[in-house]
Amino acid sequence: TSDDAGSAINAIWRSKEFDLKQAVHFSHAYVDFRGQRSGILKFRYNVDQKGWVERQVDMRSAYSDIRRSQRLLIGQTGRTIQFEVADNTPYVNFEIFEIGCEYRPLSQGAEVNQAIAVNATSNS
């Protein structure tokens, strides 16, 4: 996100909708990032097109080269999921390395799997 005379310019990235072809339990989402200044990243997910749920990620980091990951509770059952990240805070500079989620098929004894929405460095 950049700024113009101190006012925020909104930056938004939205993933495609991921269809897992069967109902699963989405346990957590995670965001792997490096925060370079203070600011709040808005992280949203939408399970089965039932509406966006927003979580906030604090982007503050003691050093600009620290890479961190934050897990966010989802706790919903569904077949599809979509992600969005947004920020409209001035003077924020950060990188997103990976966005994904952990899910488990509904069958007994199924293992936890991961779905990755982004797996590359992106500047926002």
Side-chain angles (χ1 to χ4, degrees):
T1 301
S2 59
D3 66 275
D4 181 14
S7 61
I9 298 173
N10 201 27
I12 296 176
W13 174 85
R14 183 177 289 177
S15 76
K16 69 177 186 176
E17 184 177 26
F18 295 94
D19 186 348
L20 300 178
K21 309 295 186 200
Q22 64 178 327
V24 300
H25 179 75
F26 296 104
S27 59
H28 290 86
Y30 61 87
V31 182
D32 189 8
F33 66 92
R34 176 172 59 201
Q36 295 182 333
R37 295 192 183 168
S38 64
I40 299 296
L41 177 73
K42 295 176 185 173
F43 178 81
R44 302 187 337 150
Y45 61 85
N46 189 352
V47 173
D48 286 347
Q49 292 297 312
K50 291 182 180 174
W52 292 97
V53 176
E54 182 173 311
R55 301 283 191 262
Q56 294 189 346
V57 178
D58 187 345
M59 302 302 289
R60 287 179 292 191
S61 179
Y63 304 100
S64 64
D65 61 348
I66 289 179
R67 184 171 166 168
R68 299 189 297 160
S69 186
Q70 185 160 343
R71 293 179 74 218
L72 306 161
L73 179 64
I74 296 178
Q76 285 184 264
T77 299
R79 176 179 158 160
T80 67
I81 191 164
Q82 188 175 17
F83 303 101
E84 180 182 280
V85 291
D87 183 77
N88 62 357
T89 308
Y91 309 116
V92 175
N93 185 12
F94 56 83
E95 293 174 286
I96 303 292
F97 296 102
E98 188 169 283
I99 295 170
C101 70
E102 298 169 350
Y103 66 91
R104 176 178 283 124
L106 296 179
S107 59
Q108 288 285 355
E111 293 183 10
V112 174
N113 297 303
Q114 290 186 333
I116 298 174
V118 140
N119 193 4
T121 300
S122 301
N123 290 320
S124 174

